[in-house]
Amino acid sequence: MPAVHARKLPLLAALFWWAAPAGVWAQPAAGSSPASANYPSRPIRFVVPFAPGGNADTIARNAAQKAADALGQQMVIDNRSGANGNIGMEIVARAAPDGYTLVLGYIANVAIAPSLVAKLPYDPVKDYAPVTLLATAPNIIVVHPSVQVRTMKELIALSKAKPKSINFSSAGVASVGHLTGELFNTALGADLQHVPYKGSAQGVIDLLAGQIQMLIGGMSSVMPHIKAGRLRAIAVTGAQRSTAVPEVPTVAESLMPGFEATAWYGALAPAGTPPAITARLQGEFAKALAAPDVKQRLDNLGYVIVANTPAEFAAYIKTEIAKWAKVVKASGAKAQ
């Protein structure tokens, strides 16, 4: 049975195969190439530009396993962390546009990086063929139990009373978590000190150890620790409360009306990938995410499944780039 493996592979290129009924020669569909008509015949490399165990890795593996089963080929997870996801993004931007190399695009390296990094090694609009927006997820703000706060108001007040006493981690410079913290500093006069990590997993480890005091990140990596009482949830950053933690208020209702900062994850292929292939992949990802076991698992982790079309995802990316350009400018965040 096809499976998802975490190992690095060279770029894979081959022809795809759609089986025709017995005794019938399968002609390529109108407007499709022979390669797309035979898709897929070999494993597909799915680059996750962050370390294993984080939120991006979680959504990629949940989507990839079921999609691989349906496609009849392995979907190999290749974790390529570094430069806030930009290394993995660049690898796929330069890959052959044959459908055998995908990347898990995250809001930070697709929508935020263009306004933050002067010489980004890829163009998030021109260098990729959008496949689908897989899911969105509000971030959650959690603190170590030693931090004597239970609400956003108390958190901001403490940071003002004791400047530089609260270090917060995020998945990296210019991640949604980072910019959220910077907005609290600029808009509310807080004094939260950012500590960037290459992905969310190590930040969670250091938070549990008390080496940092706060984390703004995805729910999947901290939910077990919240339930076990090892971390305290303060607020979620979405427009509505999350079904995963309905008792935790939003930042908007706690302190900043209208506030919303939602992370998202989507599948992208290199620009020039045949539309028939991106459509096939979108369909299989959509079915994979709608599977009851996958949906329940992601719901419990705070994800909101989307699985829109390539055209819808392309339009969404452009809207998000414009939105976050304003946020970066207002926050004064700088790339490191």
Side-chain angles (χ1 to χ4, degrees):
M1 178 178 291
V4 178
H5 299 282
R7 60 188 178 90
K8 298 177 181 177
L9 293 181
L11 294 179
L12 299 171
L15 299 178
F16 276 65
W17 167 255
W18 281 348
V24 177
W25 179 48
Q27 292 281 358
S32 67
S33 67
S36 61
N38 293 321
Y39 184 84
S41 65
R42 294 186 182 181
I44 299 166
R45 181 192 190 197
F46 197 178
V47 175
V48 176
F50 297 99
N55 302 303
D57 196 58
T58 296
I59 189 69
R61 290 176 188 277
N62 275 279
Q65 179 66 71
K66 294 281 187 181
D69 291 344
L71 289 166
Q73 294 291 339
Q74 294 178 349
M75 193 166 283
V76 183
I77 298 296
D78 183 0
N79 294 95
R80 293 296 187 96
S81 61
N84 197 37
N86 294 344
I87 290 175
M89 292 292 295
E90 184 179 9
I91 288 172
V92 177
R94 310 293 176 241
D98 54 14
Y100 289 93
T101 307
L102 307 175
V103 66
L104 194 284
Y106 173 52
I107 180 176
N109 43 54
V110 178
I112 298 173
S115 60
L116 195 87
V117 181
K119 295 183 179 180
L120 198 64
Y122 57 87
D123 186 311
V125 174
K126 296 180 180 178
D127 288 343
Y128 304 96
V131 175
T132 186
L133 176 61
L134 296 167
T136 64
N139 277 339
I140 190 166
I141 300 169
V142 295
V143 297
H144 188 271
S146 64
V147 180
Q148 299 301 305
V149 300
R150 295 185 176 277
T151 68
M152 281 298 299
K153 288 183 179 179
E154 292 176 352
L155 175 66
I156 300 303
L158 178 61
S159 75
K160 291 179 179 179
K162 296 182 178 181
K164 304 187 187 331
S165 65
I166 299 179
N167 295 319
F168 77 96
S169 74
S170 75
V173 174
S175 65
V176 177
H178 173 208
L179 291 181
T180 298
E182 295 293 349
L183 278 175
F184 293 153
N185 287 340
T186 57
L188 301 173
D191 193 351
L192 305 171
Q193 302 300 301
H194 182 228
V195 182
Y197 285 82
K198 294 181 179 179
S200 58
Q202 187 59 47
V204 173
I205 292 173
D206 284 357
L207 179 61
L208 289 168
Q211 295 180 20
I212 55 175
Q213 292 72 47
M214 171 182 162
L215 178 145
I216 305 176
M219 293 188 186
S220 64
S221 60
V222 296
M223 195 64 68
H225 307 299
I226 293 171
K227 299 297 185 184
R230 292 187 288 268
L231 296 175
R232 183 183 304 128
I234 301 298
V236 294
T237 64
Q240 292 86 32
R241 294 193 182 200
S242 170
T243 55
V245 280
E247 72 280 5
V248 179
T250 65
V251 173
E253 66 183 286
S254 302
L255 197 62
M256 299 176 69
F259 181 89
E260 181 180 4
T262 303
W264 53 260
Y265 307 85
L268 301 164
T273 300
I277 288 179
T278 57
R280 174 82 191 280
L281 287 167
Q282 187 277 333
E284 298 303 346
F285 276 132
K287 287 187 285 187
L289 292 170
D293 57 332
V294 174
K295 186 178 186 305
Q296 181 176 4
R297 191 178 307 125
L298 295 180
D299 283 347
N300 291 340
L301 293 174
Y303 292 104
V304 178
I305 294 169
V306 181
N308 60 4
T309 67
E312 290 169 337
F313 188 25
Y316 182 77
I317 288 172
K318 292 179 180 178
T319 299
E320 283 286 283
I321 289 173
K323 168 186 172 181
W324 286 98
K326 297 178 182 178
V327 176
V328 169
K329 182 177 180 180
S331 69
K334 303 293 183 182
Q336 297 179 352

